[in-house]
Amino acid sequence: MRDPQWYWQQTALSTLHPECEYIFQLEREERYCLQHIVAPANNSVSGCLPFWDAVVCWPNAVVGETVQRACPAVFSLFKNNTGSVSRNCTSRGWSDSFPPYHIACSVDDDIPETEQSYFATVKLIYTIGYSTSLVFLSAAVLILFLFRRLRCARNYIHIQLFLTFILKAVAVFIKDATLFSSNDVNHCTLSNFACKASVVFCHYCVMANFFWLLVEALYLSSLLLTSFHHGRRCLWGFGLLGWGVPVVFIVLWIGSRMYFEDTECWDINEDSPYWWIIKGPIVVSIAINFMLLVNIIRILIQKLDPRLIQFNNSSQYRRLTKSTLLLIPLFGTHYIFFNFLPEYVRVDLRLCIELCIGSFQGLIVAVLYCFLNKEVQKEVHTWWLRCQENSYGVVLPGAKGSQMDTPF
């Protein structure tokens, strides 16, 4: 009969990533084997002594005996097999295993290399994506912050959204540097303050990013419903929603992990009920975003009806329509479908969307809402003309200040 500790470990292992479960099962079998080897009854026998070959525990045997062992159960995590491996006990000790493990247990040596190449490619793509986004977002924040005429409620919210994308990129780089700084680091067993802090920071940045996307949707809805009148209280409320609400859920998640599930680096969350403290609000924010955007489109279609609006207001609503349509693919509505799927369904597609394509999301936002914005282009152009005027002492056409077309 198995001891209670073994049963608890076996139950806990069911919530781990397959790679980590593979490592922990081997470590557990190694401990059992070493306990068997040092047992007094196994030190006085003649012939071949028991030993651990990093995969299977071989018992003691007499010279001339052939011992057959089934393929380790841990291999069933990757492939179903019922093979076996044998060794001969000779006067010189144990022989080599036959057939080799990769043949007897259907373990393809090319799979790890293929997976390593795939993940290396994914990491390269999202590293380029986050790096590029970081540069463009930083430039966008400087432009919107430094030019006085661009300071308005709309751009204030854009700046906050840009900052969440910047923090998200920085958090990913910090997490990679902490968990995967070296091939010798086993992230399945790594557990220290720096590791856990990097994971917490990364989760907070991701939550803040989703909530500021929600703020963008709420703001656009309020523009259409309240005739463009907003005060500082509204902006303070948006700030508390975007930055404050994620703090509450992150603190709750930290407490639950510390007291109920303080395992490894807190980066493994499969089947963990406490993961919904973070995942749940994100799913809700995405669902609200989707409903708000559908409502925005409905309102704009009504307002843009030539029979219902005045001609002089159509350009203003058309500008809002363009901004809204550009926001739709950037509000993370595609995550709705993946959040309700099991974690290991279409992992390759999930990685491409969440890491590769998602890493360029900040770049797209910066380009659409800053560099392609006509008001921003006009202010930058005016600033450039003024620089030319100061350099050459000539007043160039268009060097006069511009007044931003804004409802604030």
Side-chain angles (χ1 to χ4, degrees), residues 62-110:
V62 297
V63 176
E65 181 181 1
T66 299
V67 179
Q68 186 179 41
R69 308 292 281 178
C71 288
V74 69
F75 286 170
S76 64
L77 292 171
F78 306 99
K79 285 190 176 182
N80 294 324
N81 60 78
T82 57
S84 61
V85 181
S86 302
R87 288 182 186 269
N88 289 327
C89 179
T90 67
S91 57
R92 296 183 179 180
W94 288 102
S95 67
D96 294 334
S97 60
F98 62 92
Y101 285 110
H102 68 277
I103 296 176
C105 302
S106 302
V107 180
D108 191 349
D109 291 338
D110 294 334

Side-chain angles (χ1 to χ4, degrees), residues 286-300:
I286 295 173
I288 295 175
N289 263 354
F290 182 77
M291 291 185 291
L292 286 174
L293 289 174
V294 171
N295 188 53
I296 288 172
I297 295 174
R298 181 187 63 82
I299 295 174
L300 289 174

Side-chain angles (χ1 to χ4, degrees), residues 160-333:
Q160 307 304 311
L161 180 62
F162 294 168
L163 289 176
T164 62
F165 279 112
I166 292 174
L167 291 175
K168 182 180 176 181
V170 172
V172 169
F173 292 143
I174 293 176
K175 183 178 178 182
D176 283 352
T178 304
L179 271 68
F180 309 106
S181 58
S182 172
N183 293 331
D184 298 331
V185 176
N186 181 5
H187 72 92
C188 295
T189 58
L190 181 64
S191 179
N192 54 44
F193 176 80
C195 173
K196 294 176 180 179
S198 66
V199 172
V200 170
F201 180 61
C202 187
H203 287 330
Y204 173 75
C205 294
V206 171
M207 280 199 76
N209 181 247
F210 277 106
F211 272 86
W212 274 104
L213 288 173
L214 174 61
V215 169
E216 288 277 6
L218 291 172
Y219 180 71
L220 281 176
S221 298
S222 64
L223 287 180
L224 296 174
L225 297 175
T226 60
S227 302
F228 311 124
H229 293 293
H230 292 280
R232 291 185 177 271
R233 290 185 178 181
C234 182
L235 295 181
W236 275 106
F238 285 150
L240 290 175
L241 175 62
W243 296 113
V245 173
V247 171
V248 175
F249 289 105
I250 287 294
V251 170
L252 291 175
W253 181 75
I254 292 174
S256 64
R257 290 303 299 255
M258 289 179 62
Y259 290 101
F260 303 109
E261 204 175 53
D262 190 9
T263 57
E264 289 74 52
C265 194
W266 297 358
D267 61 323
I268 301 173
N269 299 292
E270 285 81 1
D271 299 325
S272 172
Y274 308 107
W275 175 234
W276 280 96
I277 297 176
I278 292 178
K279 184 177 179 180
I282 291 177
V283 174
V284 172
S285 69
I286 295 173
I288 295 175
N289 263 354
F290 182 77
M291 291 185 291
L292 286 174
L293 289 174
V294 171
N295 188 53
I296 288 172
I297 295 174
R298 181 187 63 82
I299 295 174
L300 289 174
I301 291 176
Q302 294 177 353
K303 289 182 177 293
L304 290 174
D305 189 342
R307 296 171 299 179
L308 301 177
I309 64 174
Q310 299 177 359
F311 180 79
N312 58 352
N313 291 332
S314 62
S315 61
Q316 187 178 46
Y317 286 114
R318 291 183 188 280
R319 180 169 60 87
L320 287 174
T321 302
K322 181 180 179 181
S323 300
T324 304
L325 294 177
L326 291 175
L327 271 175
I328 290 176
L330 302 177
F331 268 46
T333 53

Side-chain angles (χ1 to χ4, degrees), residues 348-375:
D348 53 344
L349 181 59
R350 188 191 302 272
L351 284 175
C352 289
I353 293 179
E354 295 186 0
L355 293 179
C356 297
I357 298 178
S359 64
F360 289 94
Q361 189 178 7
L363 170 64
I364 297 173
V365 170
V367 171
L368 290 178
Y369 291 95
C370 181
F371 298 105
L372 294 183
N373 187 292
K374 292 183 179 180
E375 296 164 353

